[in-house]
Amino acid sequence: MDVLQLCPNDHPPFGEVCAGHAEALGRLGHRVRTVFFESRGFQPPAEFEFDYKPADRLGDVGRPELLVSHRYGAYRAGVGLARRLSIPQHIVLAHEFGMFSRLSRRIRHRLFATRTTRFAGVSPPVAEDLRRSGVRTPLVLPNPIDAARIRSRLKPRETARAALGIPDNAFVVGVVGRLHPKKNPLRAVDVFGRYRAEDHTAQLVFVGTGPLQDQVARSAGDGVVLAGYRPDVRELLGAFDVLLSCSTRSEAFGLALLEALAAGMPVIAADQPGPRFVLGPCGSYFESDAELLARLRDLRSGGAPSPPGDDFVDTAMRHVEREFSVDALASRYENL
């Protein structure tokens, strides 16, 4: 079967997410082509067939039997394409909450969506958000990752810390992702400041940029490092003793949390539906700032933090493989 994938751009993580979907469908014997409307320097994996075309100039794309549209911009272009080419199946994937929060989008959906269009969210909370917006029986198609590849490319702890300018003897809390209000990085700075008063070796390292970057920099005290955007962040995960997520309820998934699990790293996360779906029984959750402080103290109790035990790593690997591997996504597609 010929499959066409549409995505507004290849900006991280969407280039790799689309490559994962293509690999999952390829394992079912389908030929998958992907079109990004804009390029932002994606480095594709081998055997990933893709092209760049503006949404209004898709031109000759053949007649695929399945169209997969990622995000609203691709859905808007895909609806017309599916009608024009009479594509028998169209799957639309929402990566965030609020795909149909605007009235104009809901009206367009009622007017133009066909019976062959199926909607999916990257997590059950996103699927539920679609259902509340009027979408019938939304699916769940989570972002896939290759855990074995992530673990094989991890740099040694000393090398990773040197790359980020972190002392070898520090207790390091990592925060990976955009410095955006939904990630709530200012809460991480505030709570870490209180923890740092107890442990002067501790370091809080932000990897990423975003609209709150200047605010975070102004609020940062001793021990806070803004490492900026790092395309090699997956390779540097071994620099951290724990990954921290202070995300709000607006967090739909949390790919960085999933990558940390794949690397065998403990994760402390605000107890929100998206991150809880990703982490499952492998996460350590908090609601109040006091609970977050307690989680950090627990990791540091008895001196230097010890590496995760084999039981935790095995449980994390099984969780990732069962729910978020390429094979798991292929099984979900096969069930369709």
Side-chain angles (χ1 to χ4, degrees):
M1 180 167 72
D2 278 346
V3 180
L4 176 65
Q5 236 185 162
L6 301 178
C7 191
N9 59 60
D10 62 4
H11 190 271
F14 295 108
E16 290 195 359
V17 166
C18 287
H21 278 260
E23 186 177 354
L25 287 161
R27 292 186 184 185
L28 299 177
H30 308 312
R31 182 203 173 195
V32 185
R33 295 167 295 148
T34 301
V35 173
F36 298 106
F37 303 156
E38 295 179 13
S39 169
R40 298 192 182 180
F42 174 51
Q43 298 296 319
E47 300 181 0
F48 179 50
E49 186 178 344
F50 71 103
D51 197 2
Y52 295 104
K53 294 181 180 181
D56 57 352
R57 297 181 185 177
L58 291 176
D60 182 15
V61 292
R63 185 180 178 273
E65 296 167 85
L66 171 63
L67 176 63
V68 180
S69 296
H70 294 264
R71 308 165 66 195
Y72 185 80
Y75 162 62
R76 183 166 180 170
V79 165
L81 190 67
R83 283 180 172 273
R84 177 166 61 86
L85 299 178
S86 299
I87 298 173
Q89 296 181 81
H90 184 193
I91 295 175
V92 181
L93 189 57
H95 289 262
E96 301 287 350
F97 294 109
M99 176 175 270
F100 293 112
S101 59
R102 299 179 192 172
L103 177 61
S104 59
R105 291 186 175 187
R106 294 197 295 274
I107 292 173
R108 178 179 291 274
H109 166 60
R110 295 191 188 105
L111 290 176
F112 298 111
T114 67
R115 293 182 178 179
T116 60
T117 304
R118 298 290 304 276
F119 289 85
V122 293
S123 64
V126 177
E128 176 60 19
D129 180 65
L130 289 171
R131 189 193 63 77
R132 288 196 299 267
S133 298
V135 173
R136 295 181 180 178
T137 60
L139 312 166
V140 176
L141 293 174
N143 295 325
I145 65 169
D146 187 334
R149 184 182 303 165
I150 289 175
R151 290 185 65 81
S152 69
R153 296 181 179 180
L154 283 174
K155 293 187 183 300
R157 176 187 177 95
E158 297 78 10
T159 304
R161 290 197 166 192
L164 293 171
I166 304 169
D168 286 342
N169 64 341
F171 171 57
V172 181
V173 180
V175 178
V176 177
R178 294 188 67 216
L179 301 180
H180 186 277
K182 77 174 182 179
K183 305 285 189 182
N184 209 358
L186 293 171
R187 184 182 188 185
V189 170
D190 179 59
V191 177
F192 175 79
R194 284 179 262 171
Y195 177 78
R196 168 86 180 190
E198 305 172 11
D199 178 3
H200 298 297
T201 72
Q203 301 272 306
L204 175 66
V205 180
F206 288 97
V207 182
T209 59
L212 292 182
Q213 183 168 340
D214 290 343
Q215 263 187 277
V216 171
R218 288 194 298 269
S219 303
D222 292 340
V224 178
V225 177
L226 275 71
Y229 171 68
R230 296 286 306 224
D232 58 346
V233 63
R234 285 181 172 180
E235 301 173 11
L236 303 177
L237 289 173
F240 308 137
D241 292 298
V242 62
L243 194 79
L244 171 62
S245 168
C246 291
S247 290
T248 67
R249 196 172 184 85
S250 297
E251 180 67 85
F253 190 79
L255 190 60
L257 312 184
L258 185 57
E259 292 167 350
L261 280 191
M265 179 188 305
V267 179
I268 301 175
D271 195 359
Q272 302 294 353
R276 184 170 275 278
F277 168 66
V278 169
L279 296 171
C282 303
S284 177
Y285 302 99
F286 66 90
E287 292 185 1
S288 67
D289 290 356
E291 288 177 325
L292 173 52
L293 272 172
R295 301 291 182 272
L296 294 173
R297 290 176 184 135
D298 288 344
L299 281 172
R300 190 65 167 167
S301 62
S306 57
D310 291 340
D311 288 346
F312 170 81
V313 174
D314 290 344
T315 300
M317 292 303 101
R318 286 196 300 271
H319 175 68
V320 172
E321 288 298 321
R322 183 177 63 249
E323 302 294 339
F324 304 104
S325 64
V326 172
D327 282 338
L329 181 59
S331 294
R332 290 177 184 265
Y333 270 118
E334 191 171 32
N335 290 335
L336 298 180

